[in-house]
mmCIF file with all atom_site columns, all heavy atoms in Angstrom:
data_model
loop_
_atom_site.group_PDB
_atom_site.id
_atom_site.type_symbol
_atom_site.label_atom_id
_atom_site.label_alt_id
_atom_site.label_comp_id
_atom_site.label_asym_id
_atom_site.label_entity_id
_atom_site.label_seq_id
_atom_site.pdbx_PDB_ins_code
_atom_site.Cartn_x
_atom_site.Cartn_y
_atom_site.Cartn_z
_atom_site.occupancy
_atom_site.B_iso_or_equiv
_atom_site.pdbx_formal_charge
_atom_site.auth_seq_id
_atom_site.auth_comp_id
_atom_site.auth_asym_id
_atom_site.auth_atom_id
_atom_site.pdbx_PDB_model_num
ATOM 1  N N   . VAL A 1 59 ? 39.522 -17.974 77.477 1.00 0.00 ? 82 VAL A N   1
ATOM 2  C CA  . VAL A 1 59 ? 39.716 -16.712 78.204 1.00 0.00 ? 82 VAL A CA  1
ATOM 3  C C   . VAL A 1 59 ? 39.451 -15.521 77.280 1.00 0.00 ? 82 VAL A C   1
ATOM 4  O O   . VAL A 1 59 ? 38.750 -14.573 77.644 1.00 0.00 ? 82 VAL A O   1
ATOM 5  C CB  . VAL A 1 59 ? 41.129 -16.640 78.822 1.00 0.00 ? 82 VAL A CB  1
ATOM 6  C CG1 . VAL A 1 59 ? 41.374 -15.280 79.466 1.00 0.00 ? 82 VAL A CG1 1
ATOM 7  C CG2 . VAL A 1 59 ? 41.324 -17.757 79.844 1.00 0.00 ? 82 VAL A CG2 1
ATOM 8  N N   . LEU A 1 60 ? 39.996 -15.567 76.067 1.00 0.00 ? 83 LEU A N   1
ATOM 9  C CA  . LEU A 1 60 ? 39.829 -14.471 75.114 1.00 0.00 ? 83 LEU A CA  1
ATOM 10 C C   . LEU A 1 60 ? 38.365 -14.217 74.772 1.00 0.00 ? 83 LEU A C   1
ATOM 11 O O   . LEU A 1 60 ? 37.893 -13.083 74.861 1.00 0.00 ? 83 LEU A O   1
ATOM 12 C CB  . LEU A 1 60 ? 40.612 -14.756 73.831 1.00 0.00 ? 83 LEU A CB  1
ATOM 13 C CG  . LEU A 1 60 ? 40.372 -13.784 72.678 1.00 0.00 ? 83 LEU A CG  1
ATOM 14 C CD1 . LEU A 1 60 ? 40.970 -12.428 72.990 1.00 0.00 ? 83 LEU A CD1 1
ATOM 15 C CD2 . LEU A 1 60 ? 40.910 -14.335 71.398 1.00 0.00 ? 83 LEU A CD2 1
ATOM 16 N N   . VAL A 1 61 ? 37.642 -15.256 74.400 1.00 0.00 ? 84 VAL A N   1
ATOM 17 C CA  . VAL A 1 61 ? 36.248 -15.083 73.994 1.00 0.00 ? 84 VAL A CA  1
ATOM 18 C C   . VAL A 1 61 ? 35.389 -14.608 75.160 1.00 0.00 ? 84 VAL A C   1
ATOM 19 O O   . VAL A 1 61 ? 34.517 -13.747 74.990 1.00 0.00 ? 84 VAL A O   1
ATOM 20 C CB  . VAL A 1 61 ? 35.693 -16.383 73.367 1.00 0.00 ? 84 VAL A CB  1
ATOM 21 C CG1 . VAL A 1 61 ? 34.192 -16.313 73.174 1.00 0.00 ? 84 VAL A CG1 1
ATOM 22 C CG2 . VAL A 1 61 ? 36.400 -16.676 72.051 1.00 0.00 ? 84 VAL A CG2 1
ATOM 23 N N   . THR A 1 62 ? 35.645 -15.121 76.337 1.00 0.00 ? 85 THR A N   1
ATOM 24 C CA  . THR A 1 62 ? 34.875 -14.694 77.515 1.00 0.00 ? 85 THR A CA  1
ATOM 25 C C   . THR A 1 62 ? 35.122 -13.216 77.811 1.00 0.00 ? 85 THR A C   1
ATOM 26 O O   . THR A 1 62 ? 34.173 -12.442 77.998 1.00 0.00 ? 85 THR A O   1
ATOM 27 C CB  . THR A 1 62 ? 35.234 -15.559 78.738 1.00 0.00 ? 85 THR A CB  1
ATOM 28 O OG1 . THR A 1 62 ? 34.978 -16.927 78.414 1.00 0.00 ? 85 THR A OG1 1
ATOM 29 C CG2 . THR A 1 62 ? 34.417 -15.163 79.948 1.00 0.00 ? 85 THR A CG2 1
ATOM 30 N N   . LEU A 1 63 ? 36.396 -12.818 77.854 1.00 0.00 ? 86 LEU A N   1
ATOM 31 C CA  . LEU A 1 63 ? 36.716 -11.403 78.086 1.00 0.00 ? 86 LEU A CA  1
ATOM 32 C C   . LEU A 1 63 ? 36.166 -10.513 76.977 1.00 0.00 ? 86 LEU A C   1
ATOM 33 O O   . LEU A 1 63 ? 35.598 -9.456  77.241 1.00 0.00 ? 86 LEU A O   1
ATOM 34 C CB  . LEU A 1 63 ? 38.231 -11.199 78.188 1.00 0.00 ? 86 LEU A CB  1
ATOM 35 C CG  . LEU A 1 63 ? 38.903 -11.635 79.476 1.00 0.00 ? 86 LEU A CG  1
ATOM 36 C CD1 . LEU A 1 63 ? 40.423 -11.537 79.345 1.00 0.00 ? 86 LEU A CD1 1
ATOM 37 C CD2 . LEU A 1 63 ? 38.417 -10.789 80.640 1.00 0.00 ? 86 LEU A CD2 1
ATOM 38 N N   . GLN A 1 64 ? 36.335 -10.944 75.753 1.00 0.00 ? 87 GLN A N   1
ATOM 39 C CA  . GLN A 1 64 ? 35.889 -10.166 74.595 1.00 0.00 ? 87 GLN A CA  1
ATOM 40 C C   . GLN A 1 64 ? 34.381 -9.959  74.621 1.00 0.00 ? 87 GLN A C   1
ATOM 41 O O   . GLN A 1 64 ? 33.895 -8.863  74.397 1.00 0.00 ? 87 GLN A O   1
ATOM 42 C CB  . GLN A 1 64 ? 36.316 -10.883 73.306 1.00 0.00 ? 87 GLN A CB  1
ATOM 43 C CG  . GLN A 1 64 ? 35.959 -10.185 72.038 1.00 0.00 ? 87 GLN A CG  1
ATOM 44 C CD  . GLN A 1 64 ? 36.858 -9.022  71.708 1.00 0.00 ? 87 GLN A CD  1
ATOM 45 O OE1 . GLN A 1 64 ? 37.683 -8.591  72.493 1.00 0.00 ? 87 GLN A OE1 1
ATOM 46 N NE2 . GLN A 1 64 ? 36.676 -8.489  70.529 1.00 0.00 ? 87 GLN A NE2 1
ATOM 47 N N   . THR A 1 65 ? 33.637 -11.002 74.912 1.00 0.00 ? 88 THR A N   1
ATOM 48 C CA  . THR A 1 65 ? 32.178 -10.941 74.853 1.00 0.00 ? 88 THR A CA  1
ATOM 49 C C   . THR A 1 65 ? 31.574 -10.134 75.996 1.00 0.00 ? 88 THR A C   1
ATOM 50 O O   . THR A 1 65 ? 30.676 -9.319  75.773 1.00 0.00 ? 88 THR A O   1
ATOM 51 C CB  . THR A 1 65 ? 31.591 -12.365 74.866 1.00 0.00 ? 88 THR A CB  1
ATOM 52 O OG1 . THR A 1 65 ? 32.118 -13.082 73.747 1.00 0.00 ? 88 THR A OG1 1
ATOM 53 C CG2 . THR A 1 65 ? 30.080 -12.343 74.795 1.00 0.00 ? 88 THR A CG2 1
ATOM 54 N N   . VAL A 1 67 ? 33.282 -8.272  78.618 1.00 0.00 ? 90 VAL A N   1
ATOM 55 C CA  . VAL A 1 67 ? 33.968 -7.133  79.218 1.00 0.00 ? 90 VAL A CA  1
ATOM 56 C C   . VAL A 1 67 ? 34.425 -6.132  78.160 1.00 0.00 ? 90 VAL A C   1
ATOM 57 O O   . VAL A 1 67 ? 34.035 -4.964  78.179 1.00 0.00 ? 90 VAL A O   1
ATOM 58 C CB  . VAL A 1 67 ? 35.185 -7.599  80.059 1.00 0.00 ? 90 VAL A CB  1
ATOM 59 C CG1 . VAL A 1 67 ? 35.913 -6.409  80.662 1.00 0.00 ? 90 VAL A CG1 1
ATOM 60 C CG2 . VAL A 1 67 ? 34.760 -8.576  81.140 1.00 0.00 ? 90 VAL A CG2 1
ATOM 61 N N   . VAL A 1 68 ? 35.234 -6.593  77.242 1.00 0.00 ? 91 VAL A N   1
ATOM 62 C CA  . VAL A 1 68 ? 35.932 -5.679  76.343 1.00 0.00 ? 91 VAL A CA  1
ATOM 63 C C   . VAL A 1 68 ? 35.033 -5.114  75.245 1.00 0.00 ? 91 VAL A C   1
ATOM 64 O O   . VAL A 1 68 ? 35.005 -3.903  75.031 1.00 0.00 ? 91 VAL A O   1
ATOM 65 C CB  . VAL A 1 68 ? 37.183 -6.358  75.747 1.00 0.00 ? 91 VAL A CB  1
ATOM 66 C CG1 . VAL A 1 68 ? 37.890 -5.433  74.792 1.00 0.00 ? 91 VAL A CG1 1
ATOM 67 C CG2 . VAL A 1 68 ? 38.126 -6.788  76.863 1.00 0.00 ? 91 VAL A CG2 1
#
Side-chain angles (χ1 to χ4, degrees):
V82 175
L83 172 70
V84 169
T85 302
L86 284 173
Q87 182 77 351
T88 301
V90 179
V91 179

